[in-house]
Amino acid sequence: MSIEFENVSYIYNPGTPMQAQGVKNVSFKIKEGTFTALVGHTGSGKSTIMQHLNGLQKPSSGKVKIAGYELDSKTSDKGLNQLRKKVGLVFQFPESQLFEETVLKDVMFGPKNFGFSEKEAETQAKKWLKRVNIAEKLFSKSPFDLSGGQMRRVAIAGVLASEPDILCLDEPAAGLDPQGKKEMFQIFKNYQTEGHTVILVTHEMNDVARYADNMLVMDGGELAISGKPKDIFKDSEWLAQHHLSAPSAVEFGHQLQNSNFKFDTLPLTVDNLADSIIDNLKEGPHE
Amino acid sequence: MSKIILGRYIPGNTIIYKMDPRGKIMITFLYIIVIFLANNWLTYLILTLFTLGAVATTGLKPKVYWDGIKPLIWLILFTSILQLIFTSGGRIYWQWGILSITEYGIQNSIYIFLRFVMIILISTVLTLTTTSLQIADALAWILNPLKYINVPIEQVSLVMAIALRFVPTLMDETVKIMNAQKARGVDFNSGGLIRRAKNIVPILVPLFINSLTIALDLSIAMESRGYRENAPRTHYRALKWSKYDYINLGYFVVLTLVLLIFRTK
Amino acid sequence: MSNDIIKINNISYTYPDTDNPALKNISLNIVQGSWTALIGHNGSGKSTLAKIIDGLIIPDNISNSSITIDGTVMSPENVWDIRNNVGVVFQNPDNQFVGATVEDDIAFGLENRNIPRDEIDTTIERVLTEVKMLEFRKKEPQTLSGGQKQRVALAGIFAINPKIIILDEATSMLDPEGRSQTLSIVKDLQKTQGLTVISITHDVDEVMLADQVIVLDDGQVVEKGVPSQIFNNEELVRRTQIGLPFIYRLRNALIQKGMQVPVEINTKEKLVKYLCQLNSKM
């Protein structure tokens, strides 16, 4: 289930004084089963790209090919329901979309809209609530009685319960404590290894380094670059030009390289970095 | 929807934007009354010229005014046509039973038409060039005497200003919630009336809860920033009467005098 | 000690309609001009403590507890004076922006204190310059980014000239750029004007800015110390789930892989230097 953007441009409020370019001539491909990070600073067009994935926005020009659908400026809203079943979107602070009387009902809401039977929806909801670590005794509670972190997990279960082929998340861990964040990312990484495509919209380069196979960098509504994190993070000057920081491990690695360390491949994570440091030290002096 | 709640303010820089909203509101109100002074071709011509003059000072495209008139155009035409066929007097051009087109009928229907259009134009001038906040501040000033009968004008005007401040925030919030529910498979565009009505629940409940959160956060922030309900406060955002407001007033006084002189006694 | 600007003595607080207290017999002191990081997982009582210090909520046990701010014992009568000395930046940038425009929002706190209009005008200019937002003076909140809104919130607080500023997860909803800008502004003022800062945070890099770290767990103070003391305490870090800054994670990874790294190597600069020396010696 690959994703392809062909020369996609999107203009907000065309023909009014508020007209604004969302994205311009964006083309890229995402392979099935990969973990892709979509990065760029605020206002770079990331969320416009995200909303093109399930037809919430349709290209003003160009084409989006996703999950067997082709979206262009003429695509009508009718029939997009099944696309939205295949492409799950988790927006920033998704807990603000909860509305049902009970946790279980809220998680069943999506699957039911997508044509699951009552029973199937319940089975799916229970399965995913357990996987996001919500205790069974909370299923019948009002979602508004839960803690912020729990609400977040319920909202995410509400999207996962339909088991979309493609899952796109916008800053899913914002505001969570370190432990909550770690658990959250483990869930997404597992979802990918089970054969789904995951797209993560984020500012946090450490998360990108840790989890993503590919990255797309947006800047000023255009795709600045796409590729593997280890290639993109190499060029710190280029990153700075595009208002991006490097992951901490990369930054630290650069400092070591400026002195007497040599790395064959750029260490992206703490673990990589520690291994590379030890290898360097074993190889003996470089001066 | 945003147009209804936010008014139709279009940013600009002509002198009419620099006028005190209190003056603008009061003179617009009086202007609408003065429109009824016109009662012959000459006075209607003068009135039209003055109104177009006011429109011209905004420096805005005619289209935005047409947008103001458009929704009411059928009502205006309907009223004018009733005037046309039911007014009698003067020369008769056409007759069918009680319906007739007469000299006075034509005249009256044109007067009614102009009157309508001018009321809409002049109030549109006000709403296009004055922000909702300015209008709220001006109304608070105008209603200020009510505090002597224990109406809490201070609080009411602060509440109005904060409410206006949060309109765009809540609109954003609504769009976000709608998108999130669409992504969860809600189809707002199809289904019967009942289904559509049911689809509002997943929007209204989160919107209500989020508004409560905002209200709670805001009340804590306000208290932390030293807001006390009944303590005396200064006002930074002040309305100031300037030379432009004398131009406004002068324009209106001249119009009234001219109309009084040339109207048929 | 006389230079303790905040003295909290035996405070407990229970939220209405709950049984379990959010704070249990908390006592702590904060030195004037210091930066204190208040950490602990969600629900540990951090934000409750901030509200106590600002007098926004009243402790359970008034009779045998006390809060002293800048030498004044807090009471219902003087809480408004205390608030002149304490400014709080809250988490959500939107929900604390009261004014219709940037200048209006900064004016809000001054209007509440009945400051004359001319004086408000000059203050707005001063504080907007401090937070580098002067050109946004007439802008409406919906045109600003989260980071810019938080800088306006800071400006609104600087306008009152408080001695204490509390950042209540103020950077958690910001992007990295907004986060570092907000923090560097506060850090500058702490250094130049002797401001006392309390930052409530999950961001371990923000914790590294602190002189003193206080770890809360289940409404109680479980540890106090400089950042290195806290982050070197493995058992504490595991139990309270506070996470580790990059430098400690790297050090732990190196140690796990069989390297020796002395405890006093606790900053990026020191670790780079240490490793490079090691690399040339071997």
Side-chain angles (χ1 to χ4, degrees):
Chain A
M1 207 71 64
S2 72
I3 303 166
E4 199 173 339
F5 275 54
E6 280 175 18
N7 280 315
V8 172
S9 294
Y10 185 80
I11 297 164
Y12 285 94
N13 306 310
T16 70
M18 320 250 286
Q19 179 167 330
Q21 185 92 36
V23 293
K24 211 163 108 191
N25 283 327
V26 173
S27 301
F28 61 80
K29 254 188 195 169
I30 292 176
K31 268 200 233 127
E32 187 176 339
T34 53
F35 197 120
T36 300
L38 177 56
V39 304
H41 66 118
T42 311
S44 60
K46 285 176 303 179
S47 53
T48 311
I49 296 286
M50 180 175 173
Q51 295 189 43
H52 275 78
L53 294 176
N54 72 352
L56 285 175
Q57 288 175 346
K58 280 150 240 147
S60 306
S61 66
K63 212 186 278 175
V64 177
K65 290 186 197 162
I66 185 165
Y69 281 74
E70 268 198 34
L71 308 173
D72 56 31
S73 59
K74 291 174 206 77
T75 309
S76 100
D77 275 335
K78 296 247 186 288
L80 286 186
N81 199 273
Q82 284 310 301
L83 169 65
R84 288 175 187 161
K85 181 188 169 193
K86 290 180 181 161
V87 183
L89 253 55
V90 176
F91 289 95
Q92 238 182 85
F93 305 106
E95 56 275 25
S96 70
Q97 72 198 29
L98 301 175
F99 74 100
E100 279 282 14
E101 294 152 63
T102 68
V103 167
L104 188 65
K105 272 189 180 172
D106 209 290
V107 177
M108 287 166 64
F109 180 69
K112 273 164 65 189
N113 285 327
F114 292 131
F116 287 65
S117 72
E118 186 83 18
K119 203 156 173 6
E120 286 167 332
E122 193 176 321
T123 318
Q124 283 296 94
K126 284 184 171 159
K127 171 181 165 189
W128 284 98
L129 278 168
K130 277 178 202 150
R131 291 209 29 194
V132 301
N133 246 331
I134 295 291
E136 200 153 350
K137 63 172 197 254
L138 297 176
F139 289 7
S140 55
K141 281 210 167 184
S142 159
F144 304 110
D145 287 341
L146 306 183
S147 76
Q150 289 170 328
M151 283 169 81
R152 176 80 54 91
R153 280 181 277 150
V154 169
I156 288 173
V159 174
L160 285 170
S162 313
E163 296 195 15
D165 298 320
I166 297 163
L167 176 68
C168 179
L169 311 128
D170 188 358
E171 296 289 2
L176 296 183
D177 54 34
Q179 185 62 26
K181 188 175 160 177
K182 217 164 144 188
E183 289 170 4
M184 186 89 25
F185 273 104
Q186 205 45 56
I187 294 166
F188 306 142
K189 193 66 196 172
N190 290 344
Y191 196 69
Q192 183 220 350
T193 41
E194 283 161 21
H196 303 101
T197 308
V198 176
I199 301 171
L200 172 71
V201 181
T202 188
H203 285 119
E204 303 295 334
M205 297 304 151
N206 289 326
D207 297 337
V208 176
R210 203 132 151 213
Y211 300 103
D213 317 315
N214 297 296
M215 64 192 280
L216 301 167
V217 180
M218 294 293 297
D219 192 16
E222 291 179 77
L223 181 68
I225 201 169
S226 69
K228 300 230 171 294
K230 68 172 167 29
D231 298 325
I232 293 173
F233 285 135
K234 229 184 262 174
D235 192 346
S236 38
E237 221 166 278
W238 186 90
L239 289 173
Q241 275 168 20
H242 292 83
H243 308 277
L244 297 173
S245 56
S248 313
V250 172
E251 256 173 30
F252 193 87
H254 280 314
Q255 286 186 36
L256 292 179
Q257 271 177 320
N258 288 340
S259 179
N260 52 9
F261 277 76
K262 292 213 163 48
F263 302 126
D264 298 332
T265 51
L266 187 71
L268 289 180
T269 63
V270 170
D271 237 33
N272 291 159
L273 181 63
D275 284 335
S276 307
I277 290 173
I278 288 173
D279 286 347
N280 260 269
L281 295 175
K282 275 185 192 151
E283 279 166 25
H286 288 279
E287 272 178 329
Chain B
M1 184 156 71
S2 66
K3 279 184 179 167
I4 299 166
I5 302 173
L6 279 177
R8 308 205 311 118
Y9 177 75
I10 299 177
N13 222 353
T14 61
I15 63 163
I16 201 153
Y17 283 93
K18 296 179 183 121
M19 290 173 185
D20 190 322
R22 291 169 298 185
K24 283 205 265 185
I25 287 179
M26 286 189 287
I27 288 172
T28 303
F29 182 70
L30 294 173
Y31 198 107
I32 290 169
I33 295 172
V34 164
I35 286 174
F36 290 88
L37 284 179
N39 61 359
N40 57 30
W41 289 111
L42 183 59
T43 45
Y44 268 101
L45 179 68
I46 293 164
L47 195 58
T48 308
L49 289 176
F50 268 78
T51 309
L52 290 178
V55 167
T57 55
T58 63
L60 297 169
K61 291 196 190 104
K63 187 183 175 295
V64 296
Y65 290 96
W66 171 236
D67 287 343
I69 295 171
K70 207 166 48 185
L72 295 167
I73 192 74
W74 294 112
L75 179 70
I76 301 172
L77 287 176
F78 180 68
T79 320
S80 304
I81 289 167
L82 284 187
Q83 283 290 331
L84 180 67
I85 55 184
F86 284 111
T87 311
S88 55
R91 201 184 308 166
I92 298 167
Y93 299 107
W94 177 83
Q95 188 157 26
W96 189 75
I98 55 159
L99 306 179
S100 63
I101 293 182
T102 64
E103 191 185 340
Y104 288 172
I106 291 174
Q107 194 180 323
N108 270 0
S109 72
I110 293 175
Y111 286 173
I112 286 279
F113 181 82
L114 286 175
R115 217 181 273 169
F116 255 117
V117 170
M118 275 185 285
I119 290 174
I120 296 168
L121 285 181
I122 207 72
S123 36
T124 309
V125 167
L126 173 73
T127 53
L128 286 176
T129 62
T130 321
T131 63
S132 313
L133 185 67
Q134 284 177 320
I135 293 181
D137 282 349
L139 285 177
W141 183 86
I142 293 166
L143 297 176
N144 198 36
L146 291 182
K147 73 180 173 198
Y148 296 109
I149 54 166
N150 291 330
V151 180
I153 289 294
E154 276 279 314
Q155 278 100 315
V156 170
S157 77
L158 184 68
V159 166
M160 284 215 296
I162 290 174
L164 288 171
R165 136 83 186 94
F166 275 94
V167 168
T169 308
L170 288 175
M171 305 267 259
D172 271 4
E173 201 70 29
T174 313
V175 171
K176 272 186 212 153
I177 294 168
M178 278 182 80
N179 276 339
Q181 307 300 25
K182 273 190 202 165
R184 288 212 280 170
V186 178
D187 189 351
F188 293 106
N189 296 313
S190 67
L193 199 64
I194 295 174
R195 201 192 156 92
R196 282 185 192 220
K198 263 177 112 177
N199 282 345
I200 297 178
V201 178
I203 300 176
L204 280 190
V205 173
L207 195 60
F208 179 71
I209 303 268
N210 293 353
S211 310
L212 278 183
T213 313
I214 293 178
L216 276 175
D217 282 0
L218 189 67
S219 68
I220 291 174
M222 285 172 69
E223 200 181 335
S224 148
R225 296 177 65 182
Y227 178 72
R228 306 166 78 166
E229 215 171 317
N230 292 311
R233 301 178 78 234
T234 42
H235 291 270
Y236 175 68
R237 209 174 49 239
L239 299 170
K240 239 173 82 193
W241 194 263
S242 69
K243 60 176 188 239
Y244 301 111
D245 298 294
Y246 290 107
I247 298 175
N248 190 6
L249 188 62
Y251 193 80
F252 172 72
V253 170
V254 170
L255 170 69
T256 312
L257 289 177
V258 173
L259 287 181
L260 285 172
I261 294 165
F262 291 108
R263 75 191 295 261
T264 315
K265 308 277 162 355
Chain C
M1 269 201 294
S2 60
N3 61 346
D4 283 340
I5 192 161
I6 300 174
K7 290 183 214 168
I8 290 172
N9 177 23
N10 195 30
I11 292 292
S12 296
Y13 181 78
T14 313
Y15 280 99
D17 307 321
T18 59
D19 302 324
N20 201 23
L23 296 177
K24 297 172 192 159
N25 306 97
I26 298 254
S27 294
L28 54 91
N29 291 352
I30 288 173
V31 177
Q32 161 123 38
S34 67
W35 182 302
T36 300
L38 213 53
I39 62 175
H41 61 86
N42 285 340
S44 58
K46 301 174 309 247
S47 294
T48 311
L49 189 55
K51 288 189 185 124
I52 291 274
I53 297 172
D54 200 23
L56 292 166
I57 48 179
I58 299 162
D60 293 343
N61 48 341
I62 314 179
S63 53
N64 57 0
S65 68
S66 68
I67 305 155
T68 314
I69 309 281
D70 197 24
T72 311
V73 179
M74 196 187 293
S75 71
E77 291 75 41
N78 64 17
V79 66
W80 297 100
D81 302 323
I82 295 235
R83 269 180 216 154
N84 289 337
N85 272 328
V86 184
V88 190
V89 185
F90 296 93
Q91 181 176 23
N92 190 320
D94 237 317
N95 300 359
Q96 56 189 310
F97 203 111
V98 185
T101 61
V102 167
E103 57 176 8
D104 245 1
D105 188 64
I106 294 164
F108 180 73
L110 299 161
E111 291 172 328
N112 292 336
R113 290 165 175 86
N114 223 0
I115 310 283
R117 212 179 158 265
D118 296 341
E119 210 176 302
I120 293 182
D121 228 14
T122 47
T123 306
I124 288 174
E125 195 157 329
R126 168 176 69 84
V127 295
L128 279 180
T129 315
E130 274 173 17
V131 301
K132 303 181 187 71
M133 288 283 290
L134 195 58
E135 77 254 44
F136 296 95
R137 183 171 180 157
K138 305 272 179 198
K139 290 270 189 264
E140 289 153 359
Q142 64 268 27
T143 65
L144 304 178
S145 72
Q148 289 171 329
K149 280 179 212 164
Q150 291 302 62
R151 280 194 270 159
V152 173
L154 278 176
I157 286 166
F158 297 156
I160 313 301
N161 287 318
K163 292 187 174 142
I164 301 160
I165 185 160
I166 301 177
L167 306 175
D168 187 357
E169 295 193 40
T171 61
S172 75
M173 287 171 81
L174 307 183
D175 59 25
E177 216 172 3
R179 198 180 302 159
S180 64
Q181 280 168 346
T182 308
L183 289 174
S184 77
I185 288 166
V186 181
K187 192 79 202 170
D188 270 0
L189 261 96
Q190 185 228 349
K191 276 192 201 141
T192 55
Q193 303 187 10
L195 203 65
T196 306
V197 180
I198 301 174
S199 92
I200 293 170
T201 184
H202 288 308
D203 179 4
V204 281
D205 296 317
E206 196 174 319
V207 177
M208 294 292 275
L209 294 172
D211 306 309
Q212 177 188 218
V213 184
I214 296 175
V215 186
L216 287 185
D217 193 23
D218 198 21
Q220 285 168 307
V221 176
V222 290
E223 191 62 83
K224 278 183 241 185
V226 295
S228 62
Q229 262 173 309
I230 303 293
F231 291 128
N232 279 323
N233 187 338
E234 269 176 59
E235 189 273 329
L236 175 79
V237 169
R238 197 171 336 107
R239 182 161 50 88
T240 54
Q241 304 174 354
I242 46 181
L244 280 177
F246 166 76
I247 206 70
Y248 289 87
R249 279 190 287 131
L250 178 59
R251 222 184 63 190
N252 288 354
L254 289 170
I255 292 170
Q256 225 172 40
K257 292 177 201 293
M259 240 185 94
Q260 305 267 326
V261 186
V263 179
E264 64 274 13
I265 305 292
N266 56 17
T267 66
K268 246 181 227 176
E269 294 70 32
K270 284 185 198 162
L271 189 57
V272 169
K273 213 173 143 198
Y274 176 76
L275 289 172
C276 290
Q277 271 171 6
L278 218 56
N279 203 21
S280 55
K281 266 186 224 150
M282 279 177 99

